[in-house]
């Protein structure tokens, strides 16, 4: 199902895959490059992990040949998918960290570490939660529009009203869209939104390790993914670590830390190379009631965040 929606040009796999064709139920679809296919943003790159677990399930059933067949069938598509990140999402200038072009790519849509300027009406009640939910969705639609415009009209600027309402122009755009790549081109939209998310990059490094395992199982590309995984991991543990605060932070377009903590800040615990000092600091925050040690751990944002909701009142799910 995932690979049915893969872009053969780039290896990109949409966050939402419209397997039955057009889907206009979500107003966001109006800004997608290929609304007949799916969304223009991706999801955390955990597919290699899933593929490896499926092969392991075959092994546990005593079907090693089926395990290997499954990996062989999916290998090229997996390589294309992870190749997409290498080609289109790395920071460049030697940095192997990958960037997000939309907050929804992390699955933590309203996480303030991804959107530090997100409007917030004070209050913990239902009305404040509803108002914040509306503000939240409004800012996302505005961002989607900006991404669409920068991708579609990077040099010409905004289309005229005549261009938009003209039946002929709309028909021309529909024809052009048939051959368009599925995602908003990261090179064209980087100036609009670009964040190195801690969680996303940890999962990327983790899945590069799984790609290495898959490659070794099939006798392909030995060492290719291992080397890259180590480089990504090292950048996470150095560039994203804040010694003063004892926590990991996302990075903005300029490589500066976004000093807003969230559950994403804890994900480096998955990394083999994390130091004992860093791990200890994170565990302390997981146990601290002022941070993540709440009665129902672990909240999406720490209890000391202005975005924290101790009760389930807000219509969005990422702030408690």
């Amino acid at each position: 199902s995932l690979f049915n929606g893969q872009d053969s040009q780039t290896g990109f796999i949409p966050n939402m895959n419209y397997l039955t064709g057009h889907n206009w139920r979500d107003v966001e679809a109006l800004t997608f490059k290929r609304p007949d296919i799916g969304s223009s943003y991706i999801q955390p790159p955990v597919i290699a992990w899933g593929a490896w677990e499926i092969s392991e399930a075959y092994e546990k059933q005593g079907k090693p040949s089926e395990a290997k067949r499954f990996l062989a069938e999916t290998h090229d598509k997996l390589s294309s998918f992870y190749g997409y990140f290498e080609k289109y999402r790395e920071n460049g200038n030697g940095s192997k960290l990958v960037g997000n072009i939309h907050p929804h790519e992390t699955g933590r849509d309203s996480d303030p570490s991804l959107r530090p300027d997100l409007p917030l009406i004070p209050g913990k009640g239902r009305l404040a939660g509803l108002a914040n939910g509306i503000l939240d969705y409004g800012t996302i639609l505005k961002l989607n529009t900006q991404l669409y415009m920068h991708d579609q009209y990077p040099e010409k600027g905004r289309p005229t009203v005549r261009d938009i309402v003209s039946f002929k122009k709309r028909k021309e755009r529909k024809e052009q869209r048939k051959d368009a790549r599925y995602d908003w081109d990261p090179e064209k939209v980087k100036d609009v939104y670009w964040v190195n998310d801690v969680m996303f990059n940890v999962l990327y490094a983790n899945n590069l390790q799984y790609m290495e395992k898959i490659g070794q199982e099939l006798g392909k590309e030995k060492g290719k993914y291992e080397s890259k995984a180590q480089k990504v991991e090292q950048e996470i543990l150095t560039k994203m670590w804040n010694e003063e605060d004892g926590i990991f932070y996302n990075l903005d377009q300029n490589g500066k830390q976004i000093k807003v903590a969230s559950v994403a800040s804890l994900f480096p615990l998955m990394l083999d190379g994390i130091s004992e000092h860093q791990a200890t600091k994170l565990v302390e925050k997981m146990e601290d009631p002022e941070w993540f040690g709440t009665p129902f751990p672990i909240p999406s944002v720490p209890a000391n965040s202005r975005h924290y909701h101790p009760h389930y009142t807000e219509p969005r799910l990422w702030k408690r």
Side-chain angles (χ1 to χ4, degrees):
S1 294
L2 285 170
F3 290 135
N4 280 342
Q6 186 170 29
D7 188 345
S8 60
Q9 300 178 67
T10 63
F12 170 89
I13 296 177
N15 152 276
M16 291 177 279
N17 191 339
Y18 303 150
L19 294 175
T20 57
H22 279 275
N23 187 324
W24 298 102
R25 287 174 296 174
D26 191 339
V27 69
E28 277 190 272
L30 295 170
T31 65
F32 294 154
K33 290 282 290 294
R34 291 294 303 274
D36 56 320
I37 301 292
S39 55
S40 288
Y41 47 80
I42 209 159
Q43 282 285 269
V46 295
I47 303 177
W49 189 355
W52 182 258
E53 289 294 330
I54 290 171
S55 72
E56 288 283 281
Y58 276 123
E59 292 279 0
K60 289 174 183 177
Q61 294 176 47
K63 300 177 180 178
S65 61
E66 287 294 301
K68 200 158 189 175
R69 177 191 61 78
F70 174 77
L71 292 179
E73 285 180 353
T74 57
H75 179 265
D76 288 350
K77 291 176 180 178
L78 285 168
S79 294
S80 179
F81 176 67
Y82 288 94
Y84 169 82
F85 290 97
E86 180 178 15
K87 187 172 182 180
Y88 298 107
R89 293 300 188 93
E90 288 185 359
N91 285 341
N93 297 321
S95 172
K96 297 298 178 181
L97 293 175
V98 295
N100 295 115
I101 59 173
H102 196 288
H104 289 190
E105 292 194 312
T106 65
R108 308 185 328 275
D109 303 7
S110 305
D111 188 328
S113 71
L114 298 164
R115 301 161 64 191
D117 298 326
L118 187 67
L120 182 67
I121 293 175
K124 304 295 183 184
R126 189 174 297 275
L127 285 177
L130 179 61
N132 283 321
I134 293 170
L135 280 172
D136 183 352
Y137 195 58
T139 58
I140 281 294
L141 292 182
K142 180 181 178 182
L143 173 61
N144 277 33
T145 302
Q146 290 175 317
L147 291 167
Y148 175 79
M149 297 300 289
H150 275 69
D151 179 276
Q152 294 290 90
Y153 309 99
E155 297 172 355
K156 298 178 182 177
R158 293 174 181 265
T160 65
V161 174
R162 181 178 293 178
D163 289 336
I164 294 171
V165 301
S166 165
F167 178 78
K168 182 180 178 182
K169 291 285 186 182
R170 289 171 65 186
K171 190 174 180 180
E172 286 176 1
R173 286 203 298 272
K174 189 174 181 180
E175 286 299 315
Q176 293 168 354
R177 200 164 59 200
K178 288 181 179 178
D179 298 320
R181 56 191 286 174
Y182 300 175
D183 62 324
W184 296 305
D185 187 336
E187 281 303 312
K188 294 178 181 176
V189 302
K190 260 186 173 182
D191 291 340
V192 178
Y193 187 91
W194 185 266
V195 169
N196 293 142
D197 179 61
V198 176
M199 181 203 80
F200 200 96
N201 277 276
V202 168
L203 292 174
Y204 178 55
N206 174 265
N207 274 255
L208 291 174
Q209 296 279 11
Y210 279 108
M211 284 298 292
E212 181 69 24
K213 286 184 178 183
I214 292 169
Q216 289 184 7
E217 184 70 20
L218 298 174
K220 296 182 178 182
E221 305 169 315
K222 186 175 181 181
K224 173 184 176 181
Y225 292 103
E226 174 70 27
S227 173
K228 188 183 298 183
Q230 290 179 358
K231 290 176 182 176
V232 175
E233 178 174 317
Q234 187 60 26
E235 286 194 74
I236 294 168
L237 296 174
T238 53
K239 294 181 180 179
M240 294 178 157
W241 173 250
N242 186 290
E243 178 60 30
E244 183 178 352
D245 297 344
I247 203 162
F248 291 89
Y249 289 128
N250 292 345
L251 306 179
D252 66 15
Q253 290 108 320
N254 301 312
K256 294 182 179 179
Q257 292 183 351
I258 301 171
K259 293 188 177 182
V260 179
S262 79
V263 67
S265 304
L266 304 176
F267 270 76
L269 286 168
M270 294 177 64
L271 300 175
D272 291 337
I274 189 171
S275 71
E276 184 177 348
H277 169 69
Q278 290 172 323
T280 300
K281 289 289 185 181
L282 294 186
V283 171
E284 286 174 355
K285 285 182 169 53
M286 291 169 67
E287 296 173 344
D288 187 342
E290 291 296 312
W291 284 84
F292 296 99
T294 54
F296 299 94
I298 296 171
S300 300
V301 294
N304 57 21
S305 168
R306 68 190 186 98
H307 293 272
Y308 176 69
H309 278 244
H311 306 291
Y312 193 90
T313 57
E314 194 179 358
R316 304 302 291 269
L317 308 178
W318 298 277
K319 294 183 183 175
R320 58 191 61 78

